[in-house]
Amino acid sequence: HVYTMFARVASRTSCNKTVVVARQPLRGFQSTATLNNAAKKKTDTVTIKFETPYSLHNVPDEGPAMETTTSREELLGFFREMTLMRRLEIAADVAYKQKLIRGFLHLYNGQEAVASGIESELTPKDHVITAYRCHAHMVTRRCQTDIKTVLAELSGKKTGCSAGKGGSMHMYNVPNNFYGGNGIVGAQVPIGTGIAWSQKLLKTGNVCVAYYGDGAANQGQIFEAWNMAQIHKIPIIYVCENNQYGMGTSVERASATPDFYTRGQFIPGIRFNGMNVLQSREVAKYAVQYAKNVGPILLEAKTYRYKGHSMSDPGTTYRTREEVDSVRNDRDPILQVQSWLLNYNLATEEELSEINKEVKAQVDEAVEFAKNSAWPAPEDLFTGVVVDQSKLVIKGTEGLHNGDGKNYAL
């Protein structure tokens, strides 16, 4: 087994003509593809035709392409990146159960193709903001956050990306314009709108992507942000990651309409298969150009989370194990990329196995780094509060604030 974490891989099929990906056991990966035999080895290309059509709302043209050309290099990049995301979340799950991580923890398992595909069309100069399911966004190739600092932050250690003060829901990468990690449901959407507006006023030519979940889609502040964005033609891409459940409530029970891509009314909307990383990438390519040249656009990624809403939710009281297993076996985004690579002879099982080993070793090293890192010192409570730290004076805590080890707090 190449990827024993998830499922068994189907045997290869011929690549000399247009073929259909073998359906067993990966029944959901029946994408049609053509191999360009003129190219060889690392330059081999495949044309993938998407089977799941887009749903469009107020889109001024035919929307994103229904097929895309990819390469060995790109698919291997997606495979490694999404494997890192998955391994990170698995490690966080284990650490939480060992009480090495405390507080809230919301995992991204199953949704990797959304962040990986969309952010492949962005640059570090573009801006990204999301909700509290944010760990995977931190380790995209766009954001480039060291996974050691992510696991250290989850563990509350001083070496964490937020110096141990943010934890799971408040992670940031300032140099590469990642604004978190936000704990208040939906609050990141108006913040992201403001970030995108600044890009327009500064004439940078960059966009902002603001992610939110289906559970936040009924928040009033989101509609207010949309109105402002449309009036001022702000270069923002709103992405609703519809994983089918807001906490333990299904979309059908919580929303008068499950068609979140139409909610923007006057803003164009596109619904797509968020379990397919290439379709995510193709939609993002269209959305980036639209946002830069016209204004706001709304994307709805139909995706699925394997775990519960958070670690306190087993994820089985409002859905069946069979439902979760069905998605895991038939639509897993990592297995789909793996099947493309193998079925079209773009990579060998040995190569993918080696990547998996390398990523596992990388995550294991990061776990040990987090375990062995120091806790924040008491005086760290007073850092990062004001721009000029010398002006911070809190009566009764002078010694603690000055870091002399004495506790004068009343």
Side-chain angles (χ1 to χ4, degrees), residues 103-291:
F104 292 102
L105 183 68
H106 306 83
L107 302 177
Y108 203 66
N109 308 49
Q111 299 182 214
E112 296 89 352
V114 181
S116 187
I118 288 177
E119 297 194 26
S120 69
E121 287 296 319
L122 305 178
T123 74
K125 292 184 178 180
D126 291 312
H127 300 253
V128 172
I129 189 167
T130 188
Y132 37 73
R133 209 176 299 277
C134 61
H135 320 142
H137 293 271
M138 288 288 287
V139 296
T140 63
R141 286 167 289 176
R142 189 210 73 83
C143 198
Q144 301 175 22
T145 310
D146 187 345
I147 192 173
K148 291 181 179 179
T149 68
V150 174
L151 277 163
E153 187 60 39
L154 286 169
S155 304
K157 299 301 183 67
K158 189 170 183 176
T159 52
C161 52
S162 297
K165 297 181 178 183
S168 171
M169 298 195 290
H170 303 96
M171 296 185 175
Y172 307 93
N173 185 321
V174 175
N176 288 344
N177 299 310
F178 181 73
Y179 296 82
N182 292 268
I184 299 175
V185 176
Q188 71 276 9
V189 175
I191 295 173
T193 303
I195 293 169
W197 200 353
S198 75
Q199 298 308 291
K200 179 171 183 175
L201 295 174
L202 294 171
K203 297 184 168 84
T204 65
N206 301 319
V207 302
C208 179
V209 176
Y211 296 90
Y212 62 98
D214 53 276
N218 297 315
Q219 284 278 323
Q221 58 190 325
I222 294 178
F223 291 82
E224 293 181 56
W226 287 342
N227 185 67
M228 184 177 292
Q230 181 67 8
I231 289 173
H232 297 283
K233 308 301 180 189
I234 294 173
I236 184 166
I237 302 168
Y238 298 105
V239 181
C240 176
E241 294 189 83
N242 180 3
N243 62 22
Q244 316 301 310
Y245 297 93
M247 298 186 72
T249 305
S250 67
V251 164
E252 291 74 18
R253 292 180 57 209
S255 296
T257 171
D259 298 328
F260 297 111
Y261 70 101
T262 67
R263 290 286 193 90
Q265 301 179 48
F266 33 74
I267 295 177
I270 303 173
R271 182 164 62 195
F272 66 97
N273 178 11
M275 303 297 280
N276 184 320
V277 71
L278 292 180
Q279 195 163 18
S280 293
R281 187 257 280 155
E282 198 63 30
V283 171
K285 184 186 299 183
Y286 178 92
V288 167
Q289 291 306 309
Y290 187 91

Side-chain angles (χ1 to χ4, degrees), residues 66-85:
M66 273 300 293
E67 67 177 39
T68 190
T69 299
T70 186
S71 66
R72 164 190 159 90
E73 181 181 10
E74 181 180 45
L75 289 177
L76 284 176
F78 281 135
F79 181 79
R80 180 182 291 273
E81 181 176 68
M82 291 195 293
T83 298
L84 179 63
M85 293 175 178

Side-chain angles (χ1 to χ4, degrees), residues 14-20 32-35 49:
S14 172
C15 297
N16 296 324
K17 57 184 179 179
T18 300
V19 295
V20 173
T32 304
T34 304
L35 181 66
K49 294 182 179 180

